[in-house]
Amino acid sequence: ASIAIPKMSDLLRKAKDGATKGNLGRMRSALNIYYGNNEGKYPGSTNSYNYNSTVLSATLIPTYMDKMPKVDVGPYHPAKTTTIQHNTFSSGDPHDGEGWGYDSWSNYDANWGKIWVLCTHTDSKGTRWSTY
């Protein structure tokens, strides 16, 4: 039991990591399809910051996705489907663990249309979540 429990815990974490990375890929694919269907525009807003934004769920569901996928970064934060409209994410960001970060503010911003995981912790391979 002392050997099996840590291994099981590690397998569960890797499964959550894989699911979150897959969900990030789904989100990026949906955004790219939306971009192509809407004359080179991402879902947007006039705000550069909006906590628990509905800009993605309102535009991507149900046409591009059936529901908002969740961010589940293992032992660090509870699983969330929250989207925070933001234009950057740094190691000191107060939104660590709040779900998805999405830059929808301006096509003049280099990160416009980018989506990322709002987490400064690392995955099971030691890579920071916010770098994906």
Side-chain angles (χ1 to χ4, degrees), residues 48 86-88 103-114:
S48 63
H86 215 302
N87 57 359
T88 59
D103 185 345
S104 65
W105 186 51
S106 168
N107 60 342
Y108 299 110
D109 184 349
N111 290 320
W112 182 50
K114 183 178 178 186

Side-chain angles (χ1 to χ4, degrees), residues 60-75:
L60 299 180
I61 298 170
T63 306
Y64 301 93
M65 297 182 346
D66 59 339
K67 63 181 180 177
M68 285 297 290
K70 66 181 175 179
V71 173
D72 192 351
V73 290

